[in-house]
């Protein structure tokens, strides 16, 4: 038996409700953290950061945010791209309006602004449910993109309509602008990701999380046992948008550096993040990471093997990449509809029983 | 080896434009390798990376290829260009965006690593108006010109220029945006039908072009008064509309068709050897020629660099010098087997964008081909140059750059 | 008939029943053309076990829904704790101390048993979202405190062993018990049970009966229950309302009901032993 | 009515030692065997989670849609292996299941629900109308509600719809899962009367999972008692009814007759045959 | 009559026509949603795939030629035939049935009884797959599609209205054809789903997979049938839109135009798709015509959604959608 939780008894409720109740898991978590903070920064280069780590970390935040809304509160949203745009433009306006304030606060404030916008667009969720709501959130997506494209104030009247991240530092180290170091941007994003994950975990394990899940599982029953559906849903929209806004802010300021709204925050972004959430596992923080990793890594991996390894023409490779990603999504769903997180859980369950079949 | 990565897009919504360009870009380098053994004796490597016109993939492509010693980037996407401007600047790798990208990058004092010769979006707008002036015998005051544009940063580029020009020439400008992807343009074209503008200028890309041309045919808008930017001037854009599209015009900064000595070489050294890139069915199309032309400019710049620095093994920084000292003359082009293929121009530190020459091509539906109907004309520098100055200086301010030419 | 004076009454087995806790006055509920409830009045007294019976489709569940605020009757008033209850949302009703179980089990399938029961404590948990997000401190303390209470309920209903099981995997009977646990966790003053024993065998019904009686006894919870098993109804309840086609056709002690001819005709079929 | 001696007649359905696993990990049935004779009413009794529903679903091949599978044993219908058939093949062979918990088509009207029951039949309109009339005869309440969406009908009404729908397929064998759940007492009687009359006059065979042991054993010919995924006892209904354990645990009778539910408050641990 | 009013009328009529085209796409969604509760994200890609296949068959393109050429160094592209449109349409239909069969066999048979969002996700996987597959099979370049449908301004209407108002209305012939086809489709589909046994079974399946199985409805059969129907609708939509704009990747994005239509009409209602389409078409065109110029235009994308959203706030299941049953 590889995996044991027997003998790991809890003597207090605090211990019982901790994030990794099993010792083995807890150590693995500490190990990953230590590795991410103490080893990775020293070995990565531009490619790893810009092509893999940064998108992974930022998308993880977005996925966590969306997971709160979709996975925990059951409100399917396709407005993620629009909300990320809010985060991006908010941080841009803040950065250019208050250059003396530290960018950390700008990013957090951008999250806050996005939360407010999220709540506005979440209002209809009280009446509109399921796929109707999903489609309705597209209104946010299209409207916001149109707005940022339309009103020159948002892009400081620049001729091209693009926004460019000016140079900003944290502790004297540049984290945005052209002259950043790989490790610095990586650490900056990593800290945000970690904090967001912890906050999300805290919010979902307690009473707030239960309210959301109750609404998700059966909204009528939830209301009858005392959950105010409007507040629960709006709070989910707020928290979710907060994270998504932070992701959008980092996406623009730290990762891309220059952004055109329709391109970077179009509807594809909304779908992409939703895919991450579903593939990773609805209602699971770990799943958000898994989903983000899956959809960030897989295409890169496929491309590198097909084009780099096998020398296929790029177009064939990328068509094939589409087919493989699609087929994998389906295969995963068939194997385990509840996402990578659940696959992991079942695998653990099997390991625990191993070598016995049941 | 000389590494010229190709960030192409053969998939996604703009594949139809991306494929011929990437093919032309690749075939030209293949030709140099096969026929001349590369440039100055150095073989050319051309790693291709698929971006699907997506900025994030573009970044990934840039990062994954820059380690190979890439000499110059040519992303063929305005979005990716903006992404890469700070990156190439920091990494010291030149970037060429012929007829696209950030217009004000023409100011090499602010954008030392970015080049956009021979013409840019603002030149395009100006040349279009110039053509209209010619058509109307020099007076267009009181005429109506409508701009149908892709509602994105790219599509909005010409607005300022056209506004300035309208002040100068006294025409009336109306703006008609079309949202991505632009499959439905009923309202826009009904509006045009009602307002009856004398001319329509279009800045479109992708499916928007075909639909616009089809709708124009439907409302019987006179095709010879409908002028597209070079990105709205491929065979793909006009063919779906059939005969109705006959007479449609589009700008171009290079010549059209396959009637050049170079094509014989291409046939002998590339096509017939089965080395053609892609499916090999794009030869001679407008955007394929653009790919050839872009590759030719890169190759000539590389040669110039080799001459300047006296070494065949050039670095990105040397490449930049070559680009900055590039001089395209008719002799040079004729020698390359591309007589009259593009405008003549010279590049300098102050001017990374050439001289702003472009010509008008016209679609001949019965022959199924584009034909150049004018000479290369220079854009109205009095209007364009100050705009570039203003925009690049604004950028310099924002990004804290001190413009300098050594 | 019992003497239903304001002071209450004493049951056969000697329990004291208090004053009127909830009173339904002339309730009428329609769905389009369907009249689910027609002009029904009855009361529920403090500490009482009150049964509602009637044929299928009589409007019993609808009545519970009216009580919990999910259906809004077209006519009639609901009085609670001596005051007329203004129109409210179901969650506000829950905050008044009315908890319930559902005819078609309405557990939160995606959560574990423990989480389900903890949802019953929602209205006792007051930390705000920021405290929640920080967790350490207030939020954790509150969680632990409520968890202790919930554990008591879990012990009481003997579902310790399935605490961490997702409810979706549980068999029907256990789900019903978890649902009861959730309702109890809210420490309600009025507990509404909609067919708590449907789909159970005698033994399980005995268990369930025991829980219901214990709740009533130990916590003094007032209970209104709908049930089709006459044995259970007659044995457990203090008073019974009988509905048929949305109308009230009987109200009284089990013995009264047993011998009520209208009830026998409409519902019991044969006189129940 | 058949009696014990006559159950020697043809065995219609035979379940041999089946094991069922859900989700690849949860073992639910641990070797269940039973025989359903033609023209008989066989009851499957047992507490919550004993595996009654699972057994019925295994027979009707509905397990796959719940990520469950039969991993061992065999299921024979008229001597023919039916495990690999699709549920609709089985319905065509005359086996239909009335699922636990009603499972009506919420958005269809009551009448449309009933008509879906006749899906597999190639019968003409007249014949189907006649059957519809028959169902309405059995359940007059449904006739009143025929035009309303099933989702809005009460629990009991839905149960009637589910049973009526199964009858519409003119089956040979009906697998009834907890037909009495949530029904008013006279309706329970009535439904069992219907079962009995269908059994006697039309020769339908029934396999019946029931919690209401009392009624079930009154109407069934033969019974199996399931606990924890195993058959712990079986025998003619008559005998089971007499069995003291059954009496105590399933019928709620003590020697003094029916116990009152009020008297169970004193703690009492149940006896298990196996656990 | 004042000019503005006449123009508005023209815009109105064109809005109706555009709405019909949206509705054609929406219909495919409705069919599949109605029969399985699956929100088929791949509907747009199916239209693209159908159109690609149609062109490919008509022009005698060799499927997978690019792949074959890349692997074997061959140079094959065309079979060299040119099939009549009708034959090609029938052949394409056969391909769509095959696709329906494969989709069910390989995907949805394994996902019976899953939550809607999971099924939705599976269709996303399908969309990815088919996008790559269609491109590999037929190439990513733009293809012209001409099955002989009339296109361009309808002169009769132009002249008549000119006679009336002194301003000729522009109505596209293609739109008129689309309207006729859509009307026929909708009537046929409504009759099918409301009054036939298979239609009833289809709705039953949507409500409860397991219960449908238990009464002997073969999910497999129903789904293959419905996906084939949806494939057929996709083909019709593909032909219409392909004729308008050429057959190419962007065709799959028309799905986005269909979504607000779905919301407005109700996911489950066939007539709803048409009515929703008309409302959206007219609404967005009139808005762009009247308000658009004031706020900078290009409002159509979001306006359709906002219109649908506002509407839903008052009627959460759309105009004709089935009421969401809320009972405890
Ligand atoms: N889909 C499923 N996934 C996992 N476990 C299941 C599933 N369905 C049933 N089980 C488990 O199988 C066991 C037997 O369940 P089953 O429904 O067959 O019991 P039953 O005898 O019908 O009980 P009841 O009288 O409550 O209906 C239970 O422990 C249940 O938790
Ligand atoms: N939301 C609703 N819309 C329409 N009709 C409804 C609704 N809720 C209940 N009804 C109808 O009201 C009547 C009473 O239903 P109710 O559920 O209260 O019955 P019940 O007494 O609980 O029956 P059962 O014992 O079968 O559960 C039924 O005929 C039902 O169809
Ligand atoms: Mg009820
Ligand atoms: Mg059961």
């Amino acid at each position: 038996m590889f995996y044991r939780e027997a003998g790991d008894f809890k003597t207090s409720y605090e211990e019982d409700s901790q994030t990794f109740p099993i010792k083995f898991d807890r150590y693995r978590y500490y190990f990953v953290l230590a590795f991410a903070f103490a080893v990775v920064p020293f070995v990565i280069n531009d490619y790893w950061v810009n092509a893999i780590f940064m998108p992974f970390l930022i998308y993880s935040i977005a996925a966590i945010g969306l997971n709160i809304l979709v996975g925990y509160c059951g409100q399917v949203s396709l407005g993620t791209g629009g909300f990320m745009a809010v985060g991006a433009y908010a941080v841009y306006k803040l950065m250019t309006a208050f250059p003396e304030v530290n960018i950390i606060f700008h990013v957090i404030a951008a999250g806050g602004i996005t939360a407010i916008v999220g709540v506005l667009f979440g209002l209809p969720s009280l009446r509109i449910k399921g796929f109707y709501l999903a489609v309705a959130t597209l209104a946010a997506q299209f409207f916001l993109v149109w707005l940022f494209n339309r009103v020159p104030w948002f892009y400081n009247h620049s001729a091209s309509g693009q926004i460019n991240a000016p140079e900003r530092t944290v502790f004297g180290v540049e984290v945005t602008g052209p002259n950043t170091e790989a490790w610095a941007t990586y650490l900056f994003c990593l800290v945000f990701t970690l904090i967001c994950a912890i906050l999300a975990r805290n919010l979902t394990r307690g009473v707030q999380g239960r309210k959301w899940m109750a609404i998700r599982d059966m909204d009528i029953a939830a209301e009858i046992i005392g959950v105010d559906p409007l507040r629960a849903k709006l709070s989910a929209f707020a928290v979710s948008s907060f994270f998504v806004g932070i992701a959008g802010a980092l996406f623009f300021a730290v990762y891309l550096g220059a952004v055109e709204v329709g391109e970077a925050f179009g509807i594809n972004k909304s779908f992409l993040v939703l895919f991450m959430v579903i593939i990773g596992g609805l209602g699971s923080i770990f799943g958000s990471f898994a989903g983000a990793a899956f959809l960030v890594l897989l295409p890169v991996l496929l491309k590198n093997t097909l084009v780099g390894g096998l020398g296929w023409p790029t177009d064939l490779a990328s068509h094939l990449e589409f087919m493989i990603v699609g087929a994998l999504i389906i295969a995963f769903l068939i194997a385990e509809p509840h996402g990578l997180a659940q696959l992991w859980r079942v695998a653990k369950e099997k390991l625990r029983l191993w070598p016995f079949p049941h | 080896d000389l590494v010229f990565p190709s960030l192409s897009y053969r998939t996604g919504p703009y594949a139809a434009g991306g494929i011929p360009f990437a093919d032309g870009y690749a075939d030209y380098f293949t030709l140099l390798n096969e026929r001349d053994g590369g440039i100055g004796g150095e073989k050319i490597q051309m790693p291709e990376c698929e971006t699907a016109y997506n900025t994030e993939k573009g970044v990934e492509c840039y990062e994954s290829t820059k380690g190979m010693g890439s000499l110059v980037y040519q992303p063929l996407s305005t979005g990716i260009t903006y992404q890469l401007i700070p990156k190439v600047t920091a990494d010291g790798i030149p970037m060429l965006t012929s007829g696209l990208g950030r217009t004000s990058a023409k100011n090499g004092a602010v954008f030392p690593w970015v080049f956009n010769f021979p013409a840019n979006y603002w030149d395009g707008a100006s040349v279009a108006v110039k053509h209209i002036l010619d058509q109307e015998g020099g007076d267009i005051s009181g005429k109506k010109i409508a701009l149908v544009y892709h509602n994105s940063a790219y599509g909005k580029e010409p607005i300022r220029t056209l506004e300035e020009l309208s002040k100068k020439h006294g025409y009336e400008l109306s703006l008609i945006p079309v949202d991505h992807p632009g499959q439905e343009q009923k309202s826009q074209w009904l509006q045009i039908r009602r307002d009856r503008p004398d001319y329509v200028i279009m800045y479109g890309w992708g499916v928007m072009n075909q639909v616009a041309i089809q709708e124009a045919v439907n409302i019987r808008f006179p095709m010879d008064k409908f002028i597209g930017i070079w990105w709205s001037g491929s065979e793909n854009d006009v063919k779906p509309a059939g005969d109705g599209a006959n007479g449609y015009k589009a700008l171009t900064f290079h010549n059209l068709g396959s009637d050049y000595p170079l094509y014989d070489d291409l046939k002998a050294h590339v096509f017939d050897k089965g080395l053609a890139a892609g499916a090999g069915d794009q030869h001679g199309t407008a955007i394929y020629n653009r790919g050839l032309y872009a590759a030719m400019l890169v190759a000539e710049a590389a040669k110039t660099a080799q001459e300047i620095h006296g070494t065949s093994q050039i670095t990105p920084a040397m490449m930049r010098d070559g680009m900055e000292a590039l001089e395209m003359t008719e002799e040079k082009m004729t020698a390359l087997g591309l007589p009259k293929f593009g405008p003549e121009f010279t590049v300098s530190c102050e001017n990374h964008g050439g001289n702003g020459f472009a010509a008008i091509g016209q679609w001949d539906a019965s022959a199924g081909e584009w034909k150049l109907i004018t000479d290369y004309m220079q854009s109205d520098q009095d209007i364009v140059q100050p705009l570039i100055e203003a925009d690049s200086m604004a950028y310099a301010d924002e990004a804290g750059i001190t413009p300098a030419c050594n | 008939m019992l003497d239903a004076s304001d002071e209450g009454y004493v049951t056969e087995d000697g329990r004291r029943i208090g004053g009127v806790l909830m009173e339904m006055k002339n309730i009428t509920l329609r769905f389009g053309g369907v009249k689910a409830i027609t002009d029904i009045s009855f009361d529920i007294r403090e500490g009482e076990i009150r049964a509602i019976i009637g044929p299928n489709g009589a409007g019993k569940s609808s009545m519970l829904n009216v009580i919990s605020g999910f259906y809004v009757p077209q006519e009639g008033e609901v009085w609670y704790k001596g005051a007329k209850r203004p129109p409210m949302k179901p969650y506000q009703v829950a905050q008044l101390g009315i908890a319930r179980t559902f005819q078609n089990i309405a557990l939160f399938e995606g959560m574990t048993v423990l989480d389900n029961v903890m949802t019953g404590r929602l209205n006792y948990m007051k930390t705000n979202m920021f405290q929640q997000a920080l967790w350490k401190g207030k939020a954790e303390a509150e969680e632990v405190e409520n968890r202790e209470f919930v554990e008591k309920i879990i012990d009481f209903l003997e579902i310790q062993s399935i605490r961490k099981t997702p409810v979706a995997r549980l068999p029907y009977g256990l789900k019903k018990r978890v649902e009861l646990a959730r309702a109890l966790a809210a420490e309600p003053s009025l507990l509404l049970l909609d067919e708590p024993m449907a789909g159970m065998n005698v033994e399980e019904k005995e268990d369930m009966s025991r829980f219901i009686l214990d709740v009533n006894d130990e916590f003094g919870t007032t209970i209104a229950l709908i049930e089709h098993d006459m044995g259970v109804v007659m044995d457990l309840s203090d008073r019974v309302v009988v509905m048929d086609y949305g109308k009230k056709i009987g109200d009284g002690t089990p013995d009264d009901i047993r011998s009520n001819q209208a009830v026998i005709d409409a519902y019991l079929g044969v006189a129940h032993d | 009515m058949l009696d014990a001696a006559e159950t020697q007649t043809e065995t219609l359905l035979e379940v041999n030692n089946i094991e069922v696993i859900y989700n690849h990990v949860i073992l639910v049935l641990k070797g269940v065997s039973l025989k359903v004779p033609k023209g008989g009413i066989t009851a499957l009794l047992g507490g919550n989670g004993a595996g009654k529903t699972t057994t019925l679903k295994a027979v009707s091949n509905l397990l796959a849609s719940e990520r469950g599978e039969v991993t061992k044993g065999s299921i024979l219908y008229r001597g023919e292996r039916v495990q690999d058939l699709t549920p609709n093949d089985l319905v065509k062979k005359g086996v239909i299941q009335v699922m636990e918990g009603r499972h009506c088509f919420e958005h269809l009207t009551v009448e449309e629900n009933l008509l879906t029951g006749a899906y597999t039949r190639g019968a003409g309109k007249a014949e189907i109308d006649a059957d519809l009339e028959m169902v309405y005869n059995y359940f007059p309440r449904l006739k009143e509600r025929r035009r309303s969406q099933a989702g809005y009908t009460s629990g009991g009404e839905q149960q009637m719809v589910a049973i009526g729908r199964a009858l519409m397929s003119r089956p040979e064998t009906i697998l009834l899962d907890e037909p009495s759940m949530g029904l008013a007492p006279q309706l329970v009687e009535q439904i069992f009367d219907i079962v009995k009359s269908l059994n006697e006059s039309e020769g339908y065979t029934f396999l019946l999972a029931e919690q209401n042991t009392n009624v079930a054993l009154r109407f069934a010919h033969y019974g199996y008692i399931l606990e924890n995924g195993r058959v712990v006892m079986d025998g003619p209904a008559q005998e089971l009814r007499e069995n003291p354990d059954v009496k105590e645990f399933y019928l709620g009778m003590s020697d003094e007759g029916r116990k009152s539910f009020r008297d169970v408050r004193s703690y009492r641990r149940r006896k298990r045959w196996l656990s | 009559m004042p000019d503005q009013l006449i123009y508005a009328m023209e815009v109105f009529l064109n809005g109706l026509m555009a709405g019909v085209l949206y509705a054609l796409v929406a219909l495919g969604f409705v069919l599949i949603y109605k029969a399985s509760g699956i929100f088929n994200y791949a509907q747009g890609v199916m239209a693209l795939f159908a159109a690609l296949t149609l062109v490919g068959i008509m022009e005698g393109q060799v499927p997978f030629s690019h792949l074959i050429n890349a692997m074997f160094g061959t140079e094959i592209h065309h079979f060299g035939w040119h099939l009549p449109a009708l034959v090609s349409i029938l052949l394409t239909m056969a391909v769509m049935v095959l696709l329906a069969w494969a989709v069910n066999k390989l995907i949805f048979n394994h996902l019976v009884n899953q939550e809607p969002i999971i099924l939705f996700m599976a269709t996303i996987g399908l969309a990815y797959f088919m996008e790559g597959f269609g491109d590999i099979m037929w190439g990513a370049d733009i293809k012209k599609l001409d099955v002989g449908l009339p296109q361009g301004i309808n002169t009769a209407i132009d002249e008549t209205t000119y006679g009336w108002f002194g301003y000729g209305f522009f109505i596209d012939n293609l739109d008129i054809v689309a309207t006729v086809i859509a009307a026929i489709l909708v009537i046929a589909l409504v009759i099918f789903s409301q009054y036939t046994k298979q239609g009833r079974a289809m709705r039953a399946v949507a409500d409860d997979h397991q219960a449908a199985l238990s009464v002997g409805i073969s999910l497999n059969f129903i789904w293959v049938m419905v996906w084939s129907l949806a494939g057929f609708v996709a083909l019709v939509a593909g032909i219409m839109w392909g004729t308008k704009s050429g057959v190419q990747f962007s065709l799959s994005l028309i799905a986005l135009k269909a979504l607000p239509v779905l919301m407005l009409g109700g996911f489950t209602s066939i007539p709803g798709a048409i009515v929703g389409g008309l409302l959206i078409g007219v609404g967005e065109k009139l808005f762009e015509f009247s308000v658009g110029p004031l706020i900078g235009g290009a409002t159509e994308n979001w306006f359709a959604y906002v219109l649908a959203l506002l509407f839903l706030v008052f009627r959460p299941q759309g105009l004709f959608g089935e009421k969401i049953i809320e009972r405890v």
Side-chain angles (χ1 to χ4, degrees), chain B residues 177-259:
Chain B
V178 175
D179 254 337
H180 168 88
Q183 239 137 3
E184 232 305 308
Q185 299 178 25
K186 271 269 140 58
S187 341
Q188 286 82 1
W189 289 93
L190 281 177
Q191 191 184 336
I192 289 173
R193 186 163 178 269
R194 275 193 309 269
D195 296 350
R196 299 172 194 277
D198 298 288
Y199 287 88
V200 173
I201 297 178
M202 172 160 74
Y203 271 56
W205 190 219
V207 72
M208 173 188 163
N209 288 337
Q210 295 108 51
V211 175
I213 292 170
Q214 180 68 58
E215 291 288 357
V217 172
N218 287 348
I219 67 162
R220 300 188 179 152
F221 189 83
M223 278 297 144
D224 56 345
K225 306 211 158 167
F226 186 12
I227 305 167
I229 183 70
W230 38 75
W231 301 118
S232 301
S234 80
E235 287 76 4
N236 285 327
D237 301 333
V238 281
K239 273 189 179 157
D243 288 341
N246 189 41
Y248 170 75
K249 292 172 178 170
L251 293 155
T252 176
F253 51 83
H254 55 77
N255 218 322
L256 304 161
S258 52
D259 212 357

Side-chain angles (χ1 to χ4, degrees), chain D residues 57 62 65-67 87-88 91 96-97 99 103-108 112 115-122 149 151-155 158 165, chain E residues 110-114 194 197-198 200-201 203-205 207-219 221-222 322-327:
Chain D
K57 283 192 176 159
L62 289 175
S65 60
E66 294 208 34
R67 306 184 84 73
N88 68 308
V91 175
I96 195 160
Q97 173 165 16
M99 294 212 293
H103 282 278
C104 292
F105 303 120
E106 289 190 335
H107 291 100
L108 271 57
E112 283 177 325
L115 287 175
T116 55
Y119 179 80
T120 48
R121 288 168 61 189
Q149 287 192 328
Y152 286 116
T153 55
S154 84
Q158 291 184 2
R165 192 172 64 190
Chain E
H110 305 279
L111 290 173
V112 176
N113 220 14
Q114 294 295 346
Q194 290 299 332
K197 175 170 135 181
Q198 300 300 356
R200 195 161 50 228
R203 288 184 292 139
V205 169
D207 264 356
D208 190 328
H209 295 174
Q210 254 201 334
L213 280 173
S214 83
V215 295
I217 296 172
S218 160
L219 289 193
F221 173 74
I222 296 286
E322 276 166 353
K323 203 152 177 230
I324 303 156
I325 293 184
E326 299 198 321
R327 282 210 59 185

Side-chain angles (χ1 to χ4, degrees), chain A residues 46 50 59 149 258 269, chain B residues 56 60 63 66 83 153 156:
Chain A
D46 275 357
N50 287 328
Y59 278 124
N149 198 2
K269 196 108 304 166
Chain B
E56 285 150 75
E60 197 264 335
E63 296 291 351
K66 84 174 183 200
Q83 233 62 237
K156 288 190 284 192

Side-chain angles (χ1 to χ4, degrees), chain C residues 56-67:
Chain C
N56 294 113
K60 305 179 295 296
S61 298
S62 303
M63 183 58 89
L64 281 206
N65 282 334
V66 169
I67 298 179

Side-chain angles (χ1 to χ4, degrees), chain C residues 169 171-172, chain D residues 22 28 48-54 66 100 178 211:
Chain C
R169 282 192 201 168
Y172 189 83
Chain D
Y22 281 112
V28 173
N48 284 135
K52 305 181 294 296
T53 301
T54 307
E66 294 208 34
E100 178 182 42
E178 310 225 12
Q211 296 270 18

Side-chain angles (χ1 to χ4, degrees), chain C:
Chain C
M1 268 303 253
L2 281 166
D3 165 31
S5 71
D6 275 356
E7 290 72 47
Y9 59 97
V10 178
T11 60
E12 280 169 33
D13 54 346
R15 290 176 306 128
R16 258 221 72 80
I17 301 298
V20 173
L21 179 69
M22 170 160 269
E23 190 169 4
M24 314 298 287
K25 291 186 179 169
N26 308 92
I27 304 285
T28 297
L29 176 71
R30 282 183 299 267
F31 298 105
V34 186
K35 244 185 174 179
I37 302 176
T38 316
D39 192 29
I40 291 195
S41 309
F42 67 95
D43 63 4
I44 302 169
R45 288 169 168 276
E46 235 161 280
E48 190 177 40
I49 299 183
R50 187 74 150 122
I52 304 174
I53 62 172
N56 294 113
K60 305 179 295 296
S61 298
S62 303
M63 183 58 89
L64 281 206
N65 282 334
V66 169
I67 298 179
S68 47
F70 183 62
Y71 286 163
V72 181
Q74 277 80 10
E75 284 156 45
E77 295 172 355
V78 180
W79 285 65
Y80 183 61
K81 292 189 176 162
K84 185 179 164 190
R85 194 176 80 186
M88 355 174 113
K89 293 261 162 31
Y91 70 89
Q92 293 166 319
V93 174
Q95 285 161 3
L96 292 180
I98 299 179
R100 67 174 286 185
T101 66
F102 302 87
Q103 180 168 11
N104 293 315
I105 297 174
L107 283 172
F108 306 122
E109 298 266 324
M111 303 192 226
T112 61
V113 170
L114 181 64
D115 278 334
N116 264 283
V117 182
M118 285 291 280
T119 55
R121 302 285 306 161
L122 285 178
N123 292 322
Y124 295 89
M125 299 176 80
K126 300 285 180 213
T127 49
N128 63 32
M129 224 155 61
F130 295 99
Q131 292 164 325
Q132 286 285 320
L134 295 177
W135 191 251
K136 285 285 161 212
K138 272 244 171 62
E140 187 171 28
E142 182 187 70
E143 176 88 6
V144 168
E145 184 186 311
N146 284 287
R147 172 80 185 269
E148 271 161 14
F149 183 86
V150 162
E151 288 291 339
K152 266 190 229 143
I153 304 274
I154 287 179
D155 279 349
F156 175 66
L157 292 179
E158 298 166 16
I159 45 179
Q160 303 91 331
S161 58
I162 53 165
R163 228 188 246 125
K164 295 274 171 93
T165 319
V167 287
R169 282 192 201 168
L170 296 180
Y172 189 83
L174 276 180
K175 282 190 184 172
K176 286 242 143 185
R177 214 184 281 182
V178 175
E179 221 187 7
L180 180 61
R182 183 179 69 189
L184 287 182
E187 297 180 72
S189 32
L190 175 59
L191 177 63
L192 311 172
L193 304 173
D194 198 346
E195 303 198 15
M197 295 176 212
M200 296 195 173
N201 64 16
V202 174
E203 193 198 357
E204 289 151 350
K205 282 180 183 169
E206 287 173 357
D207 284 346
M208 197 48 116
S209 304
R210 197 181 83 223
F211 294 135
I212 292 175
L213 291 172
D214 285 352
V215 169
N216 179 252
D217 234 28
E218 287 181 23
F219 304 121
T221 311
T222 310
I223 293 171
L225 102 152
I226 298 177
E227 187 45 64
H228 283 303
D229 185 320
M230 278 311 104
V232 172
V233 171
M234 297 300 172
D235 290 349
L236 296 191
S237 56
D238 299 314
R239 287 191 300 157
V240 183
V241 185
V242 191
M243 293 174 66
D244 185 27
Y245 277 91
K247 300 203 180 70
K248 184 162 108 173
I249 57 167
D251 188 351
T253 61
D255 289 328
D256 296 340
I257 295 304
R258 238 192 289 268
S259 49
N260 182 327
Q261 193 53 45
V263 177
I264 294 173
D265 291 344
Y267 184 55
L268 301 175
V270 285
H272 207 272
D273 58 320

